[in-house]
């Protein structure tokens, strides 16, 4: 595999090609193939972008037919037949059955773009500027979104302090005994708290980059109640946790809450195509024509595959049930590993919801040793969390049970190897 | 044509569907077709995104073959064969013959994302924060990029003041007698000017959204000299003017300058697919791994079509010569219209470079009346400029001469109609 | 009393003249006199600016002698004899006996100016930008200081969001069971907390405007320890709590901590003259000449009275002991009132340290009714706290025991009146 | 003279004590005396703070009488007799005869505090955030005011980028042929200029720190007209140029304009006491009670001396005429020196208005050599301007003609010495 040109010409900013130093060429479902033909099971799935697997054949057909037929590829924000079909499909299959009424904005085709639009909308609608965001949250890296992203790696790289947000502790951040919303309610009721009264709260129901940390249903429900009571808008950033990842189309359905604004991207196109969307309660749609733009807003190829994905997977509960079942399977395997690790004194915990699952190690080095070993054995899997301490499973939702089991077996063997090394080291230390 | 769902569900932010209230469905080359079969010539071309026309058949073949073969669609910043082929093609056909040595970053697939990355890089590399940008400049609307964009429509919608930039007058802004770089040099040499010593200057060689205003070759050369002398980085935002639009692949080639950083997007994929790129002098590549990210960075379908476009159109001078020739043709027609308008007392001017051409009217209403009339007669064409006063021609570079002439004929008839109305009104006023 | 001109010409921003709508003319010790001769006991003392009473005769003599002798009044930051004498006095009587080694900066003569200088110094010395500040903190209202002030009244009036600070919960803010420094330590150790790693922490040991809330000694000691461990600078804003107010010259002496930077103002001149000072560990004195300025920095009349005050009051423990004794007296009286109020179901609490004492009512209306009633009866006293719910005693430290008792008697009678009204209302409600 | 303690204890930020390394002790009128008795003529006058000279005997009497009588020294923003007398005096002697109607705010007692208040007021009153300020402007160094100050020394020391302002070229900045207001008008009329439509313009009619640069009367009048036409507030910062410095009480009287807001400080108290004031058109007084505060707002000793100064000096034209006459005298002497310098090839220019006069040298080194030589010979005089290239005369307005002549003679001899050295160097160079 020739990586010379890539290493020479591509910026040092590249990162996944360091963890997985091979040249991929083809992919299908939950499998990735290098140009020399090596096969990998994919537990990364484009960091949550390939919920329906790589090159899903049903979506592929719709995509290729559309291209072959010279359907509009790029049309700024023209009305197009593909856009109309997406909107109709999304309304009838997703929104209406869930009792949701939203208007839809297509900002630039990236998650960060959707977040920038959502924050602006909240500021316009309320006339306030501050946004409450949470510790370990990730909402993108363009300057507006970055203000709500906790990760110092990105924040430091910005070269400017961000502004317009206040960080408050996410569910569980202050230990099990503290309901972090007590603090939030206190600062909202205190005119001298220094936390400027906010336009909105932006939250992930499960923090993906933050370490697959799921907030409790109760916490989310109380968060919604606080927002309503104070007339603060509730923005759910469903970019990573949405599109079925947690077992329901929207991750917030578990809590029965109705956000004022929702951001979607990643798996929305279903095919890995750049695509993003902002949903907003109709009365919040206070944009003037053209006040927010972007050359690639409303990517028509993505309309086609997104509509196909919804028709294919969300007309009944089949996929949702599958996700829940497979999620439990992953959770059980992770729990088992956690017990094994506990026996040799390595304290871990399992996390997540649906097929967004994590096994949290004491530190990033251990987690890294697992993912490296996995890659050696044919599994692409990565870590997340503040110190990269969480091994995370974000496999395609459509993964076969056989593939899932194979992948989990690889993880198990990596954990066993770690345990063996750990025991040996301890024995040596004890004998020394 | 059913636009009901679209109007009901899509956010009020939509804009082109107001000027062109039809539902497009198919497109080929320089032609757009509505779902009811009406045909339009396209002088908008995705606001400069479709330099090679809609659904260019040569690129389409490469794209469909790749998809059919289950090539990697989405792979974060994995090494892929498609990426390598793009980089090799770009280096050998574009960079090397032009004596340019750059490293390449693939940020999120939008222009604004490339600009955000470029500004951050400049700040990192210099340890300074301020960016000099120019009146009427447009560099995107996410908060970091927005700081360098002049348009108050976007700036007001942000809900927060931007920071980290200073606006200086673009070439010609203070009239013909003032070299605006005199002012720039003065503030740079004055430690009390209030313009914080900048990390970089960001500039469009031809301002697209700003009104198809082309800076002079001399001005660009002096700008580069000033930057060199003060050790300020020069960023050319070639998102709209690049990829051949002005008659050369990079718009700055006309001036023989070598920017430190270049941002590319829009027509880079060649097929209207979301795609963006930052070029930087190798020593400026000071990113640490993963310091800037984005789910859709390095869109593989776009690598495929971008490489195909370069191979197809930039191995020789044929297209470049075509652009120049057609550009002159547009310019001559616009000059002729300008003379006709002058005869009835309407003062206009022609602007631009290559196939980025504008006819500037005294106000936005007149320009609007032209584009509305054109649309009635089968031509999609829009305005730009601070008051929307410039009718702009951004047709595909690959437009046939026949289509170009047809389009220009439609513009001419619209101008003649305006002249007729104007004369009638004057006569009526005189008789009253 | 003629208030017409005052009401007509002075800006609506005026505030104390609304609570105390009389025209004062003379003052001595703890007594204020209106121009019509009415006498008031002063429990406000310039919001902590008149620790040594109004027009303290010993300081007055020094001041008038200096003026009569044509001593330098205004000299920018010239070396003057008065400045030298102040510095020598301050070093020998205050710093050396306490084992403190600081360099001294004289910024503009206001507290906010000292805070602006301190924050800048912390940023310079560390190369970081963020400052941790606490809920309900007050550090001034110029834009740099305002970023660290919690009160929304001032923050909203700024017309711009502030930047460069993060608010964390002050001691006790999350209830008795939560050590708020746990949260602080957590965010400092978490690279994804969103709280940018700070240059400094700025803290009041007793929050004056925040409601006379005293942080515990243990909390302050742990705060210092956390700062040391993370190499974060500790700034104690001793503008209101310093100069003896809490029973020691510096309020932080109670905790035995040594801040890196200290801001002083208010009672520093001893005579109510504008004066401010920043103390810094010598190695933090990284200013270049003239990098921070202000026309009135180093006010020479204030040097004279400040030196006199230190010589007069801080060469032995007499005043300090007095403060502690009187402080206990106030505390006991407030405790007694609190018990009486509890009996009729009004829950209050007592707060403070030294002669910085508060009685916290359930709401601002009750507290206001007390201070209004007091003013009617010859006592100037005000409220503080987020809702103005704390009646605060900031009488001169030099108040006579008789005056103090008189003042407290007035407070007591006002409380008794409140209790009587409250009981009547309850009876009426019960009978209804 | 013992400077040891001063050098050891005072922060490195000190600056004047470096240019004038002596210990001053007494002062009277235009004379400064060191503690060892050396006498200096004072052409610095507290950087414009001592317009009526040091320890002016008439003001001193009022001050000492007030202190001796135990007048209120510090009273926050209480109504006091001293405040009322100041307001009545200011209204009847200053405002009414000039046809000015303003309300008066007493912010903290420093110029920067007045500017912070003025900017906030402009933002409140207009609902806009941007402030237009000018190249080489100086309006203070607290963060809000600093945004409008051009000097990079202060800006860099801030540790944070400032925000909320845009710098435009001051009168003459782009050479004699360019009216810089053309550019201002252009950006105001251009919705895409990037200069956010401003709440206000803040301007010094003569830039003190900026190099004693006087804007032309015509420019000021046009500036007012532009502001009126665009409904932008006009703030004149008269902190240095006001209180008679230019020959009229307010510096803007020369142009016959009426600013919406005026900031005053420096010589306002007349005695060098910290004092500041914001004047505003009554309808702009949109403060809510207490929305802007400061412990030392409304310094009562300053009310006393300020009222005395106005009564003493502004009831007739005597002082104003004196200033004009002495100003011409300085100007003539500076012109003469300029000619002499021109003869040996040193190009200088004279600047200013009234008794705010400058002689601009080609560089800071030459200007420094003059002021150093002057100090050697008994004259305290300093430089200003972006490179410290302007020797400035800001002597007390009440200086005797004899003292003025003595001072100017010292300057002349310093210039002659420079000329002699210069000639020698040239001859040596020629002979070499």
């Amino acid at each position: 595999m020739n990586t010379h040109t890539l290493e020479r010409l591509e910026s040092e900013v590249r990162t996944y090609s360091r963890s997985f130093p091979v040249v991929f060429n083809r992919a299908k479902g939950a499998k990735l193939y290098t140009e020399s033909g090596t096969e990998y099971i994919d537990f990364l799935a484009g960091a949550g972008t390939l919920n329906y697997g790589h090159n899903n054949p049903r979506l592929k057909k719709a995509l290729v037919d559309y291209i072959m037929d010279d359907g509009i590829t790029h049309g700024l924000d023209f009305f197009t037949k593909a856009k109309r079909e997406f909107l109709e499909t999304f309304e009838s299959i997703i929104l209406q059955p869930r009792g949701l009424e939203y208007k839809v904005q297509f900002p630039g085709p990236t998650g960060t773009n959707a977040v920038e639009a959502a924050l602006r909308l909240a500021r316009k609608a309320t006339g306030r500027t501050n946004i409450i965001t949470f510790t370990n949250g990730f909402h993108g890296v363009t300057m507006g979104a970055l203000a709500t992203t906790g990760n110092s790696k990105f924040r430091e790289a910005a070269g400017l302090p961000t502004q317009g947000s206040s960080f408050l502790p996410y569910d569980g951040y202050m230990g099990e005994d503290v309901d972090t919303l007590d603090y939030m309610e206190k600062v909202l009721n205190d005119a001298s708290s220094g936390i400027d009264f906010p336009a909105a709260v932006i939250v992930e129901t499960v923090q993906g980059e933050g370490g697959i940390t799921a907030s409790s249903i109760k916490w989310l429900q109380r968060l919604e109640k606080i927002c309503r009571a104070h007339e603060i808008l509730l923005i759910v950033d469903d970019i990573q946790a949405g599109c079925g990842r947690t077992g329901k189309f929207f991750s917030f359905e578990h809590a029965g809450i109705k956000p004022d604004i929702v951001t979607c991207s990643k798996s929305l196109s279903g095919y890995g195509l750049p695509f993003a969307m902002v949903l907003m309660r109709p009365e919040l749609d206070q944009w003037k024509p053209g006040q927010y733009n972007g050359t690639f807003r409303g990517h028509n190829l993505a309309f086609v595959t997104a509509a196909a994905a919804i028709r294919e997977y969300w007309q009944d509960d089949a996929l949702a049930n599958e996700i829940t079942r497979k999620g439990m399977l992953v959770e059980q395997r992770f729990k088992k590993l956690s017990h094994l690790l506990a026996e040799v004194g390595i304290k871990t915990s399992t996390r997540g919801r649906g097929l967004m699952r994590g096994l949290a190690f004491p530190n990033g080095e251990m987690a890294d040793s697992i993912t490296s070993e996995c890659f050696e054995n044919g599994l692409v899997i990565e870590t997340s969390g503040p110190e990269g301490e969480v091994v995370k499973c974000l496999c395609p939702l459509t993964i076969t049970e056989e593939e899932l089991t194979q992948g989990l077996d690889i993880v198990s063997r990596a954990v066993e190897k770690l345990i063996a090394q750990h025991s040996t080291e301890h024995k040596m230390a004890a004998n020394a």
Side-chain angles (χ1 to χ4, degrees), chain A:
Chain A
M1 269 181 294
N2 173 6
T3 61
H4 181 67
T5 327
L6 288 156
E7 282 164 8
R8 183 166 54 80
L9 287 181
E10 192 175 2
S11 160
E12 292 303 319
V13 80
R14 67 191 176 79
T15 173
Y16 284 104
S17 56
R18 297 175 197 268
S19 315
F20 312 120
V22 295
V23 179
F24 291 106
N25 188 23
R26 292 177 55 253
K28 190 138 199 73
K31 296 275 179 64
L32 282 159
Y33 303 89
T34 67
E35 62 180 339
S36 50
T38 316
E39 175 185 308
Y40 291 88
I41 294 172
D42 186 1
F43 269 24
L44 170 51
T49 307
L50 296 159
N51 281 2
Y52 311 104
H54 290 272
N55 300 326
N56 184 303
R58 304 179 195 188
L59 313 187
K60 179 159 87 173
K61 189 180 177 328
L63 175 63
V64 171
D65 286 353
Y66 185 80
I67 296 174
M68 290 309 293
D69 199 34
D70 284 328
I72 294 280
T73 298
H74 183 275
L76 298 158
D77 66 2
F78 286 168
F79 282 161
T80 63
K81 196 176 162 200
K83 187 196 279 185
R84 189 180 58 212
E85 287 181 5
F86 168 75
L87 283 171
E88 288 173 351
T89 305
F90 185 70
E91 185 183 38
S92 63
I93 302 180
I94 302 296
L95 293 182
Q96 286 177 346
R98 287 163 180 79
L100 296 169
E101 198 189 352
Y102 286 126
K103 289 194 77 174
V104 182
Q105 176 182 3
F106 302 109
T110 64
T112 195
N113 228 312
V115 169
E116 295 250 347
L119 301 184
R120 251 163 250 203
L121 205 55
R123 290 183 174 120
K124 270 179 90 73
T126 61
R128 306 173 205 141
T129 58
N130 197 25
I131 304 289
I132 286 184
T133 180
F134 293 100
T135 52
N136 296 329
F138 181 90
H139 303 285
V141 300
T142 53
M143 281 304 281
L146 184 62
T148 62
T149 289
N151 193 311
S152 60
K153 179 175 65 178
F154 301 116
R155 295 177 67 79
E156 286 166 12
L160 272 180
T162 64
Q163 64 178 357
S165 70
S166 298
F167 281 85
L168 290 184
Y170 191 69
D171 189 22
Y173 196 75
M174 303 174 76
E176 287 181 13
D177 299 336
V178 181
D179 183 343
T180 56
L181 292 176
D182 288 348
Y183 179 44
M184 177 165 162
E185 220 169 4
K186 171 107 181 167
V187 304
L188 292 176
N189 288 324
D190 175 1
S192 290
S193 68
I195 309 295
D196 294 325
F197 198 75
V201 168
I202 186 165
V203 67
E204 300 157 279
T205 67
V206 184
Q207 293 186 324
E209 299 311 299
I212 314 295
T213 316
S215 57
S216 75
I217 298 308
K218 230 180 86 186
W219 190 86
L220 287 169
Q221 290 168 341
R222 186 178 173 198
L223 179 61
E224 186 194 45
K225 235 174 256 160
I226 293 173
C227 286
R228 295 287 173 268
H230 289 83
E231 299 189 345
I232 296 164
L233 298 176
L234 176 60
I235 305 172
V236 169
D237 178 343
D238 228 20
I239 291 171
Q240 185 162 147
C243 299
R245 176 56 60 186
T246 66
K248 298 193 181 283
F249 187 83
F250 293 116
S251 74
F252 54 79
E253 294 177 48
H254 297 282
I257 61 174
K258 294 194 177 177
D260 299 292
I261 299 175
V262 183
T263 55
C264 304
S265 183
K266 288 205 181 253
S267 278
L268 183 62
S269 80
Y271 205 79
L273 303 177
F275 190 37
M277 176 167 85
V278 182
L279 305 178
M280 63 199 82
R281 280 195 297 108
E283 56 273 40
L284 297 176
D285 183 23
Q286 299 180 9
W287 291 114
K288 288 182 204 156
Q291 264 195 331
Y292 192 83
N293 74 0
T295 292
F296 297 107
R297 64 194 185 279
H299 180 20
N300 279 271
L301 301 189
F303 285 138
V304 170
T305 54
I310 290 171
R311 275 192 305 263
E312 196 62 48
Y313 291 106
W314 295 99
Q315 306 220 50
D316 58 33
D317 287 346
L319 180 65
N321 293 339
E322 270 296 278
I323 298 163
T324 306
R325 199 175 56 78
K326 289 177 196 159
M328 292 310 297
L329 207 150
V330 179
E331 170 70 358
Q332 284 159 12
R333 291 288 298 264
F334 276 11
K335 276 240 162 78
K336 212 175 282 181
L337 295 177
S338 191
H339 290 143
L340 289 175
L341 286 156
E343 284 173 15
V344 296
I346 299 175
K347 213 187 145 180
T348 57
S349 61
T350 63
R351 299 174 174 186
R353 189 170 285 144
L355 265 172
M356 197 168 183
R357 292 287 167 181
L359 181 56
F361 284 83
N363 56 57
E365 291 69 41
M366 271 193 199
D368 272 350
S369 75
I370 297 296
T371 55
S372 301
E373 177 68 15
C374 287
F375 184 67
E376 292 292 307
N377 293 293
L379 178 67
V380 165
I381 185 168
E382 74 158 345
T383 62
S384 74
E387 300 174 47
E389 76 279 18
V390 182
V391 171
K392 80 179 182 194
C393 172
L394 279 183
C395 61
L397 309 178
T398 54
I399 194 170
T400 63
E401 192 155 337
E402 193 194 337
E403 289 164 331
L404 181 59
T405 304
Q406 276 176 16
L408 290 170
D409 288 347
I410 295 173
V411 177
S412 296
R413 283 195 298 273
V415 169
E416 284 156 17
K417 191 168 167 187
L418 176 75
I419 289 173
Q421 282 170 338
H422 187 80
S423 307
T424 314
E425 280 165 23
H426 269 239
K427 273 185 207 147
M428 284 172 64
N431 292 343

